[in-house]
Amino acid sequence: MIIDLPPQLEQAIINKAQAQGVSVAELLQRTFANEPQLDAEPASIAIGADDGALLQQLLDNPPPPSPAMRELLALHGANHA
């Protein structure tokens, strides 16, 4: 798994791990080992035929992005250019 973090946050995590004398993976495991979402089983979602048809229609023909979504997409593009 790869997590896209701002460079300053990535460096802060690395610095904290080094200060504790552990690897970044060990630091993250110690920090988040007891978080319920990390121990949870993947959830199953059941949808009816009507909802499934609507979902498939949206996937096949997504609506145009809203102004807020266009702004987010522009930010994402600027960060990965």
Side-chain angles (χ1 to χ4, degrees), residues 1 7 13 21-22 26 38 40-41 51 60-61 71-72:
M1 174 187 299
I13 293 169
V22 297
E26 289 173 297
L38 295 180
E41 291 293 319
D51 291 332
D60 291 340
N61 303 298
E71 185 177 337
L72 288 172

Side-chain angles (χ1 to χ4, degrees), residues 47 52-63:
I47 60 173
L54 176 60
L55 180 58
Q56 188 62 55
Q57 181 182 6
L58 288 170
L59 289 170
D60 291 340
N61 303 298

Side-chain angles (χ1 to χ4, degrees), residues 69-80:
M69 180 56 84
R70 284 194 299 273
E71 185 177 337
L72 288 172
L73 290 169
L75 286 172
H76 178 74
N79 290 334
H80 294 299

Side-chain angles (χ1 to χ4, degrees), residues 2-80:
I2 297 174
I3 301 173
D4 188 16
L5 298 173
Q8 63 274 20
L9 181 55
E10 183 179 336
Q11 191 58 52
I13 293 169
I14 292 168
N15 291 345
K16 185 168 186 171
Q18 288 175 342
Q20 293 183 15
V22 297
S23 69
V24 170
E26 289 173 297
L27 173 69
L28 294 174
Q29 186 174 22
R30 288 179 186 178
T31 303
F32 297 106
N34 295 323
E35 291 295 318
Q37 66 269 21
L38 295 180
D39 296 330
E41 291 293 319
S44 295
I45 300 174
I47 60 173
D50 291 340
D51 291 332
L54 176 60
L55 180 58
Q56 188 62 55
Q57 181 182 6
L58 288 170
L59 289 170
D60 291 340
N61 303 298
S66 67
M69 180 56 84
R70 284 194 299 273
E71 185 177 337
L72 288 172
L73 290 169
L75 286 172
H76 178 74
N79 290 334
H80 294 299

